[in-house]
Every structure is written in structure tokens, then in C-alpha cells.
Amino acid sequence: MENKCGCWSALRRTASCKPSLESRTTNSVHDAAIETRYLNASNREMRAPNDPQNSSDLNPNQLLEFSFHELKSATGNFRPDSILGEGGFGFVFKGWIHENGTAPAKPGAGITVAVKSLKPDGLQGHREWVAEVDFLGQLHHPNLVKLIGYCIEDDQRLLVYEFMTRGSLENHLFRRTIPLPWSIRIKIATGAAKGLAFLHEGTEPIIYRDFKTSNILLDTEYNAKLSDFGLAKAGPQGDKTHVSTRVVGTYGYAAPEYVMTGHLTSKSDVYSFGVVLLEILTGRRSMDKKRPSGEQNLVMWARPYLADKRKVYQLVDPRLELNYSVKGVQKVAQIAYNCLSRDSKARPSMDEVVKALSPLHDLNDFAVLSYHARLSQQGRRKNKQEGTQNITLSQSKWFNESPRSVGKHHCK
Ligand SMILES: Nc1ncnc2c1ncn2[C@@H]1O[C@H](COP(=O)(O)OP(=O)(O)OP(=O)(O)O)[C@@H](O)[C@H]1O
Ligand SMILES: [Mg+2]
């Protein structure tokens, strides 16, 4: 990774001038943290005390150290109306700090930040907090969220990130009423793929392990940035093919071979990327208990459609109507199919995924255009036959058909 950001290996080896965060951990939290197994609602598990420490010595040199009081002021006393979201770790608040240093600023002044605070009972959280500071404090890339600093004071554990204006991809795909346009979906998929490729392709590869839509954050221009490195793990060393671990992650995203054997490789992340790509394509959640039984597991439901070029358009998020690239959908389906291969070795690398996704930005063959073209052709023929004029689009059979049924026509 040195070659890409110039900091990873160097920082790993540099001794911190501050005492290590681990050594400053209070006993009570540490005792809590040595619980051997803890699964929270989002299906995460904390590392057992005897697990080898996978990460380097913590090095917060480039990070700001905030006091609890500063962050309390920065978030207006952790006001409920400044809550941006809640995850397994705890609440995330919006706050403001001065441009230089850790001093709190008035709302709207200085820099806007997101402050994540560990739940008081977040037993799994301390280890994840350490991993987050350890990994994200040292990794810098346009597709990784920037960690600005942290707070460790008594039992309080907080993290301060750059504020991502548009929140998470999960919000945009599943909660907002306005659907994300096709071109933005491609931009987000490519950005997130670049983030994963950066982690995988460095001299000291990292496996992210928690790739999902809620961990993909978006800035004003819909640039995607990966957040949450609490479950990240250093990749296999030397001639090792995999890392053996306990199974952690989130249901619906984890690769089947990893769930069954605990053998972790970068191809586990590639599988999770395939799941997210499918969510982007379909607008459906990876697991959705509200759907009929055969449709609850997205991958199981979608696989037969992905494999059949004539059926692939039936997967497209119906909220897009005909506003998607015809070739783009085929290509995205093919990439998702490859990433979701049951044989992990057959999955592409994330570099290959980035290369396959990048050209899709330039495709302008929108389904709606081809239908307008067919429509006007049809209209012309009809006019000729019937001598009628001015057939409007809304009177057309093509226009009134649902995107799902018309989608099939693309593959003829
Ligand atoms: N840097 C940020 N800028 C803006 N919003 C953020 C930021 N970080 C997190 N959020 C918001 O807070 C929500 C909760 O984030 P968090 O990472 O704690 O949990 P999660 O990813 O939803 O779930 P899990 O704990 O299972 O990973 C996110 O979905 C997002 O909407
Ligand atoms: Mg998250």
C-alpha cells in the first residue's frame, strides 16, 4: 500500500509518541472486552482475547485526540435532533469543530463532522473501536471515509469522521422516495469497488469483512467512501491462502465458504460486493423478510435471472422505469454473477471489477430512448396504415407497458 498512499507501512512501523490506546484502556472496559463471544443485533462478534492481534500498534499520530467535553459541546450535548443514524456500535451525531484543532464550533461554523459514540453496554465495541482507529487512522484514499480523530476518556469511546452529506447508500436505495438515477448507481458502485481494490491490492492487503450498503457513505457529489473498519483484518501473509477466523459480518452479505469454514480471503469481500451490486441493480435488500418466501434471500432469488440474458431486465429496480442503460444492465448483471460465484477462486479481483465497471459510465443506450425510437417507428407505420396523425406517447401500448414486461424485449 506504500506505493499508493505512501503511509501505510511507514506508519505501521513508526512508534507512536503517545501511549498506545490499548494500554490506556480502563480495566472495566478491558474486562468487558474479554468476553469470549458477543453477537449484537447486527450480527457482529467481538474478537476473543486469545485471538492473535492482527493489527499493528495503534498509531494515532495523524489523528486528533478530543476530550469528551469537546465532543459533547460540538454535538450540542448529543442532541437527539442531531442524530444521523444508529448502528451496532451506537449513535452517530452531527457536530461542528474549529478548522484547526479539537475545539468545538457553533452549529454551521467551522468543519462539520460525524461523531460516533460507543453505547455504554457495547461490549464488542471497544475492540472494533481500536480496529477502526488502527486501520482508518493510517489508510488514506478518496474512497475511504476520513477519520479525523477519537476520544478515549474513562469508559467513553468516540470516533470523529468527516461528515458525509448524503449519508449511506442504504438510505438512498431503501428509504428515500426519490430513486437513485442509473448513472449515480454506477458511480457509487465504481467508487466502492475502488475502495475495496485499494484495500486488497496493497503490499499489506486488508480484508474489509463488512461490505454492505450502510457502510458505503456518500458525499455531495455521490462519491462513495467505505466506513467502519471495526471488522477489518490483515490478509494472509506469505504463502498462506487464507486467514482462519471466527465468522463475523452481516447476514445476507457474507460469502458461503467463509460462513461454513471461517476461511477468510479477499474473495469473501468480492462476494459481498456482488451482493451490494445486486442491491444497487434491483433496489431490493439482501435479506427481506417481508417478501414472499422464495424472494427473501436476494442472491437465491436473483441467480437464475442473472444467468439468463433474456431474463436479466426483470431484475432492474422498477423505480427506474426505463431510465437505465440496456448494455449497462447486462454488464452489471454479469459482474454480479461472477462476484457471486460459489467457487471463490472463480470470482474476479476487485481491480478487475473496477476495470469492468468504469466504461459503463459512458453508456447512453437508455432503455427509454430505444423505446421512444421503436415507438416513433411504430407510430410512423401506424400513421401510414391508418392515415392518422399525432399519436401521443401516452396513447402508446409500449409506453404504458410495465418496465418489467417491456424489459424482455431488449434481448430479442
Ligand atoms: N461520516 C458520516 N457522515 C454522515 N453520516 C454518517 C457517517 N457515519 C455514519 N453515518 C450515518 O449513521 C448511520 C449509522 O452508522 P453506523 O456505521 O454506526 O451503523 P450501520 O453501518 O448502519 O450498522 P452496523 O453497525 O451494523 O454496521 C449510517 O447508516 C449513516 O446514515
Ligand atoms: Mg456502519
Side-chain angles (χ1 to χ4, degrees):
M1 220 156 281
E2 259 170 341
N3 50 349
K4 288 186 184 168
C5 69
C7 61
W8 172 235
S9 302
L11 278 172
R12 267 176 171 256
R13 289 181 201 113
T14 313
S16 168
C17 54
K18 291 181 181 181
S20 111
L21 296 177
E22 192 75 87
S23 68
R24 295 161 63 220
T25 306
T26 56
N27 285 340
S28 60
V29 174
H30 189 73
D31 288 344
I34 58 172
E35 291 283 327
T36 51
R37 219 155 192 271
Y38 181 86
L39 276 167
N40 76 359
S42 68
N43 185 34
R44 287 177 168 199
E45 186 187 319
M46 82 182 236
R47 197 165 54 204
N50 296 331
D51 275 3
Q53 288 283 327
N54 64 300
S55 37
S56 62
D57 288 334
L58 292 170
N59 191 322
N61 280 352
Q62 296 195 329
L63 298 175
L64 297 174
E65 183 171 353
F66 291 84
S67 70
F68 183 70
H69 182 74
E70 283 168 335
L71 293 180
K72 198 173 163 188
S73 304
T75 55
N77 237 342
F78 302 108
R79 278 162 61 126
D81 61 1
S82 68
I83 291 175
L84 295 168
E86 185 190 8
F89 191 89
F91 286 109
V92 183
F93 298 87
K94 189 174 181 176
W96 288 269
I97 57 166
H98 275 284
E99 274 167 32
N100 301 313
T102 57
K106 288 205 175 105
I111 303 172
T112 315
V113 291
V115 179
K116 196 183 267 196
S117 71
L118 174 60
K119 280 178 196 162
D121 61 345
L123 300 180
Q124 46 112 36
H126 173 71
R127 292 286 177 161
E128 286 190 20
W129 182 89
V130 171
E132 183 90 351
V133 177
D134 189 10
F135 280 109
L136 211 43
Q138 302 173 65
L139 295 167
H140 304 283
H141 186 269
N143 298 108
L144 304 188
V145 76
K146 187 169 180 249
L147 182 66
I148 295 171
Y150 61 88
C151 165
I152 179 165
E153 214 175 279
D154 302 325
D155 285 356
Q156 305 291 348
R157 300 285 178 280
L158 297 100
L159 296 160
V160 182
Y161 302 88
E162 65 174 311
F163 174 65
M164 297 292 287
T165 338
R166 296 197 187 269
S168 73
L169 173 60
E170 184 197 27
N171 277 334
H172 284 272
L173 275 183
F174 309 123
R175 294 178 208 261
R176 298 263 168 105
T177 44
I178 303 167
L180 279 177
W182 177 256
S183 57
I184 301 282
R185 293 182 197 221
I186 295 296
K187 179 172 182 172
I188 294 169
T190 311
K194 283 181 181 169
L196 273 187
F198 169 73
L199 297 177
H200 290 178
E201 308 299 333
T203 45
E204 295 182 44
I206 291 164
I207 304 170
Y208 180 63
R209 270 212 294 187
D210 206 13
F211 192 79
K212 56 181 178 179
T213 51
S214 70
N215 283 343
I216 300 170
L217 300 179
L218 305 169
D219 71 8
T220 319
E221 278 88 42
Y222 292 98
N223 292 304
K225 304 196 185 201
L226 307 188
S227 72
D228 276 0
F229 280 69
L231 299 184
K233 192 135 181 104
Q237 304 280 318
D239 53 5
K240 295 247 169 65
T241 55
H242 63 264
V243 183
S244 284
T245 66
R246 286 154 190 258
V247 178
V248 296
T250 304
Y251 290 122
Y253 291 95
E257 77 284 352
Y258 171 55
V259 173
M260 282 187 309
T261 63
H263 290 180
L264 185 69
T265 68
S266 58
K267 296 297 176 86
S268 321
D269 281 345
V270 177
Y271 181 93
S272 307
F273 182 85
V275 179
V276 168
L277 199 54
L278 213 45
E279 291 183 296
I280 291 174
L281 177 66
T282 61
R284 290 177 176 229
R285 286 181 181 278
S286 61
M287 287 293 230
D288 192 346
K289 296 276 176 220
K290 291 189 198 122
R291 292 197 181 268
S293 58
E295 300 184 20
Q296 292 183 356
N297 182 313
L298 179 60
V299 174
M300 277 167 68
W301 170 73
R303 220 189 271 278
Y305 295 92
L306 288 174
D308 185 340
K309 274 193 170 184
R310 287 165 306 171
K311 287 186 178 170
V312 90
Y313 296 95
Q314 295 178 50
L315 289 175
V316 178
D317 185 346
R319 293 183 307 158
L320 282 170
E321 300 186 344
L322 291 176
N323 298 306
Y324 57 84
S325 155
V326 175
K327 278 196 198 122
V329 163
Q330 271 200 16
K331 196 71 198 163
V332 163
Q334 192 194 327
I335 297 167
Y337 185 76
N338 293 340
C339 290
L340 294 168
S341 172
R342 291 187 185 92
D343 174 7
S344 64
K345 292 195 182 80
R347 293 173 203 151
S349 70
M350 284 315 300
D351 258 355
E352 287 168 333
V353 171
V354 171
K355 284 195 187 100
L357 283 171
S358 297
L360 307 193
H361 292 265
D362 304 324
L363 294 177
N364 292 318
D365 59 334
F366 276 67
V368 69
L369 295 178
S370 62
Y371 276 88
H372 282 172
R374 286 184 196 208
L375 184 66
S376 59
Q377 252 183 7
Q378 223 193 16
R380 272 200 296 274
R381 246 182 271 135
K382 212 172 173 188
N383 286 349
K384 237 180 174 177
Q385 284 164 6
E386 298 174 6
T388 53
Q389 298 291 318
N390 299 330
I391 295 176
T392 61
L393 291 184
S394 58
Q395 287 168 314
S396 152
K397 165 181 168 283
W398 287 103
F399 202 72
N400 289 327
E401 268 183 310
S402 77
R404 282 175 182 253
S405 55
V406 292
K408 289 177 189 166
H409 295 287
H410 293 304
C411 306
K412 276 184 180 169

